[in-house]
Amino acid sequence: MQLIACPWCGPREEVEFSYGGQAHVPYPDSPAELSDEEWAHYVFFRDNPKGRFAERWNHSAGCRRWFNAIRDTTTYRFERVYRLDDPKRGGTELASSRKEGTAP
């Protein structure tokens, strides 16, 4: 079983955690002005890269806190985890470099 390092509790078995999707997705500036199609893109469309990816995780069977992680989607290896109140570390540049077609 893989261990995931919760920023508050330390390493725990992966069954204690729930995946929360892509990290660093900004809430729309003017949500009332979005069309149904724009809302659908915000709610349902996410990056799905091969390689390093910034994700949100919840320690659902432990402290119940949310945190971010940088994980390699090809190996499932967690490179690092960090609290939501920490400065963004690797999330936005990972997504933007994928869109431009360059390696992170």
Side-chain angles (χ1 to χ4, degrees), residues 29-71:
D29 291 331
S30 303
E33 297 174 13
L34 295 180
S35 68
D36 289 344
E37 183 178 349
E38 290 168 323
W39 264 116
H41 278 274
Y42 170 72
V43 173
F44 299 111
F45 285 57
R46 294 293 182 257
D47 295 336
N48 188 19
K50 181 178 180 180
R52 295 174 66 225
F53 190 51
E55 304 171 325
R56 295 190 69 197
W57 285 81
N58 180 261
H59 192 182
S60 51
C63 64
R64 304 184 63 84
R65 292 181 176 173
W66 286 93
F67 62 93
N68 289 331
I70 304 297
R71 182 177 68 89

